[in-house]
Amino acid sequence: MIPRASRTELVGVRNGILLVRVTAAPVDGAANEALIKLLVKRLGVTRHEVRIVSGEHARQKGVLIEGLTVEHLRARLRKKM
């Protein structure tokens, strides 16, 4: 995740890692919340189905999205990028 970007967007995938830019600063969890909101909107899931499980204070994060298989996640991301 790249905080303080000019736009909030899904950028692509590099080495199996989803690249995301958010306009929010990494202060008081604002960038993490922006990431979650973006994923909720783009993947069509609810807020309680998305949570950061690792890297809460790092640029690289582990995110759990409940209710989606890896195949469904990839398909939804392909449609949105």
Side-chain angles (χ1 to χ4, degrees), residues 27-67:
V27 178
D28 297 327
N32 289 342
E33 189 58 33
L35 170 64
I36 290 170
K37 286 181 180 180
L38 175 65
L39 293 174
V40 165
K41 181 178 178 182
R42 297 298 169 102
L43 297 175
V45 295
T46 64
R47 170 65 177 90
H48 78 273
E49 292 173 312
V50 179
R51 77 184 147 114
I52 296 172
V53 294
S54 66
E56 189 173 315
H57 299 288
R59 285 182 163 222
Q60 189 168 336
K61 302 182 183 309
V63 178
L64 175 66
I65 302 169
E66 295 180 22

Side-chain angles (χ1 to χ4, degrees), residues 4-45:
R4 293 188 177 130
S6 59
R7 295 188 310 182
T8 295
E9 63 184 344
L10 299 175
V11 179
V13 177
R14 185 182 311 148
N15 298 326
I17 297 173
L18 180 64
L19 300 175
V20 179
R21 292 183 184 134
V22 296
T23 58
V27 178
D28 297 327
N32 289 342
E33 189 58 33
L35 170 64
I36 290 170
K37 286 181 180 180
L38 175 65
L39 293 174
V40 165
K41 181 178 178 182
R42 297 298 169 102
L43 297 175
V45 295

Side-chain angles (χ1 to χ4, degrees), residues 39 43 65 68-78:
L39 293 174
L43 297 175
I65 302 169
L68 285 182
T69 64
V70 173
E71 293 80 21
H72 285 119
L73 176 63
R74 286 182 180 146
R76 288 183 186 190
L77 286 172
R78 275 193 297 270

